[in-house]
Amino acid sequence: MHLNYYGKSSVGFLLYGSRPYKYIKQYLNCSSIDVSMSIKILFGKSPGYMIGSTNGLVCLSNDLYFFLKEDKWLSIYICNPSTREILELPECHHAHNEFVLSIGFGFCPKFNDYKVVVVKLLDSVVNVRDPNCCLFSLGVEVYSLNRNSWRSTKIVNPRSVLTTSFQGKGYFNGAFHWGGRDLKSSKRMIMSFQFDEEVFRELNLPNHPDFQKENYFLNALIIEYQNFFSLIIKQKVNMHVYDLWVMKEYGVSDSWIKQLTIEVPILEDRLMFQPVMSFENNGELLVLRDWYGRIVWYNTKTKQIERSKEVLRGRSIRYKESLVSLSTKKVV
């Protein structure tokens, strides 16, 4: 009841920072609220990564994009920053020299379950028919909070591969999303992992020249805009202009439309903005960060800019408070 009623009106974002110490800090609209928590005890010298958030739960890992070694393994946690509960997941199956490509986290409404997916590169060999092409296999590990255990599958010679993690909200509509590419045609796309069926699916990008650029994924942000799956991208020709693309019917390629174009005024000190961090209040607040690490709020209606006094560096994700509890927990 709390999640369905209160959670809808308390959407903000979390900022995970690793310097000078590891912490999670919550922001609601234009202000910081005291729900910070230190997570240095979890990762030690490892950088730590914030994978994603749904229903007030946040998934963290000790590292990302690395080879598993005898002295370096994957540690994953699910926590609720509001209640300070944290759960360390059991160790997933892995062998030495497997490469961790990506991690996703989300809610499975069909089974009322929270799941984590780990995608790994297992092996690769040269294709004797085409020496310029490698054959490889992907390992997929899926954790279920209900079962508190992992399930392993293997994909041999996949036709497409994950290329990068989007900034912002990777989870939407029961799936986690990444950038992807078809291995034969090199076509760019969005890859999703459906938590109910535990399968990968492909979503086409808008048929627009902006999405053919080599580095568009670096400037793309997945958001949920008025309950629609959406993307914000920065126009290359102007560092302060952003386009909002909305998929009116999830999974239907022809339903992409350009909903908004937002131009952020250049500040007097002419600081260049880093990529968009979030988009709040149904599109009223655009959240960015300047090169000093200060968070910037731009109100698209009043055209006003507000900046935080704190200098914070780290990754941000969309977040809403909840009382969702973890069955096995400790308080930090």
Side-chain angles (χ1 to χ4, degrees), residues 3-22:
L3 180 65
N4 292 332
Y5 178 74
Y6 179 70
K8 292 181 180 180
S9 61
S10 61
V11 176
F13 66 91
L14 291 179
L15 180 69
Y16 168 73
S18 57
R19 297 177 182 177
Y21 55 91
K22 299 176 179 67

Side-chain angles (χ1 to χ4, degrees), residues 250-269:
Y250 180 73
V252 179
S253 303
D254 294 337
S255 67
W256 281 110
I257 65 168
K258 185 187 286 190
Q259 186 81 21
L260 293 171
T261 295
I262 305 164
E263 183 173 357
V264 181
I266 299 176
L267 302 179
E268 292 181 2
D269 52 16

Side-chain angles (χ1 to χ4, degrees), residues 9-151:
S9 61
S10 61
V11 176
F13 66 91
L14 291 179
L15 180 69
Y16 168 73
S18 57
R19 297 177 182 177
Y21 55 91
K22 299 176 179 67
Y23 59 88
I24 293 178
K25 194 174 189 65
Q26 182 179 353
Y27 282 81
L28 186 60
N29 293 335
C30 298
S31 60
S32 168
I33 59 179
D34 191 19
V35 188
S36 302
M37 59 183 293
S38 173
I39 52 175
K40 182 177 180 180
I41 190 174
L42 301 182
F43 302 132
K45 295 182 179 180
S46 298
Y49 283 85
M50 191 160 55
I51 304 302
S53 173
T54 182
N55 294 346
L57 298 183
V58 179
C59 181
L60 307 162
S61 71
N62 64 322
D63 212 337
L64 197 60
Y65 312 121
F66 71 101
F67 284 99
L68 295 164
K69 301 289 185 180
E70 184 176 353
D71 58 346
K72 188 175 179 65
W73 59 92
L74 184 62
S75 298
I76 302 177
Y77 300 83
I78 300 175
C79 72
N80 186 329
S82 297
T83 63
R84 307 301 175 98
E85 296 174 357
I86 189 160
L87 170 70
E88 182 178 7
L89 274 57
E91 186 175 335
C92 66
H93 175 268
H94 70 266
H96 297 163
N97 295 320
E98 292 179 350
F99 185 79
V100 178
L101 284 174
S102 196
I103 305 172
F105 171 66
F107 178 63
C108 178
K110 183 177 180 179
F111 301 108
N112 191 30
D113 195 7
Y114 293 88
K115 295 185 177 183
V116 177
V117 56
V118 178
V119 184
K120 301 177 294 183
L121 178 63
L122 300 183
D123 47 55
S124 61
V125 295
V126 176
N127 188 345
V128 293
R129 295 182 179 180
D130 184 0
N132 294 321
C133 178
C134 288
L135 303 177
F136 65 95
S137 300
L138 294 178
V140 182
E141 309 280 343
V142 182
Y143 169 83
S144 163
L145 182 60
N146 286 349
R147 298 192 305 265
N148 192 32
S149 63
W150 294 87
R151 187 180 73 86

Side-chain angles (χ1 to χ4, degrees), residues 164-167 214-221 234 275-276:
T164 184
S165 294
F166 279 104
Q167 299 182 63
E214 283 295 320
N215 64 344
Y216 85 92
F217 274 130
L218 299 178
N219 294 322
L221 175 84
K234 182 193 295 183
V276 175

Side-chain angles (χ1 to χ4, degrees), residues 120-332:
K120 301 177 294 183
L121 178 63
L122 300 183
D123 47 55
S124 61
V125 295
V126 176
N127 188 345
V128 293
R129 295 182 179 180
D130 184 0
N132 294 321
C133 178
C134 288
L135 303 177
F136 65 95
S137 300
L138 294 178
V140 182
E141 309 280 343
V142 182
Y143 169 83
S144 163
L145 182 60
N146 286 349
R147 298 192 305 265
N148 192 32
S149 63
W150 294 87
R151 187 180 73 86
S152 302
T153 59
K154 185 176 182 179
I155 303 176
V156 180
N157 298 331
R159 69 178 189 178
S160 53
V161 66
L162 309 180
T163 56
T164 184
S165 294
F166 279 104
Q167 299 182 63
K169 182 181 174 67
Y171 173 79
F172 179 83
N173 198 41
F176 198 87
H177 302 79
W178 300 268
R181 180 173 59 87
D182 187 283
L183 292 175
K184 290 186 177 180
S185 66
S186 295
K187 175 185 174 183
R188 296 177 181 275
M189 65 188 72
I190 297 173
M191 296 290 297
S192 70
F193 182 80
Q194 306 292 320
F195 286 110
D196 54 355
E197 303 174 56
E198 297 187 357
V199 294
F200 286 95
R201 298 195 187 282
E202 300 174 0
L203 296 175
N204 287 327
L205 291 162
N207 186 18
H208 190 274
D210 283 348
F211 291 91
Q212 307 306 319
K213 299 171 183 176
E214 283 295 320
N215 64 344
Y216 85 92
F217 274 130
L218 299 178
N219 294 322
L221 175 84
I222 285 182
I223 68 166
E224 183 177 338
Y225 176 75
Q226 296 183 354
N227 298 321
F228 292 110
F229 181 78
S230 308
L231 287 172
I232 290 183
I233 66 166
K234 182 193 295 183
Q235 291 186 8
K236 188 176 181 180
V237 295
N238 191 320
M239 293 297 289
H240 300 282
V241 178
Y242 301 87
D243 291 328
L244 171 66
W245 288 84
V246 174
M247 183 177 262
K248 288 295 186 178
E249 186 175 351
Y250 180 73
V252 179
S253 303
D254 294 337
S255 67
W256 281 110
I257 65 168
K258 185 187 286 190
Q259 186 81 21
L260 293 171
T261 295
I262 305 164
E263 183 173 357
V264 181
I266 299 176
L267 302 179
E268 292 181 2
D269 52 16
R270 305 188 67 83
L271 292 177
M272 298 296 287
F273 290 132
Q274 292 180 343
V276 175
M277 296 171 60
S278 187
F279 203 36
E280 308 298 340
N281 288 13
N282 284 326
E284 183 176 331
L285 287 176
L286 186 67
V287 187
L288 309 100
R289 188 168 55 223
D290 65 24
W291 286 113
Y292 287 132
R294 293 173 298 187
I295 298 172
V296 179
W297 289 268
Y298 174 61
N299 191 306
T300 59
K301 292 184 177 180
T302 65
K303 311 299 182 184
Q304 297 297 310
I305 287 181
E306 184 175 344
R307 280 192 284 189
S308 67
K309 296 180 180 179
E310 298 174 287
V311 176
L312 300 170
R313 300 187 182 276
R315 184 184 178 187
S316 67
I317 58 172
R318 192 175 173 87
Y319 172 79
K320 64 179 180 181
E321 294 179 307
S322 82
L323 297 177
V324 174
S325 184
L326 301 167
S327 56
T328 304
K329 57 184 179 293
K330 61 181 179 181
V331 178
V332 295

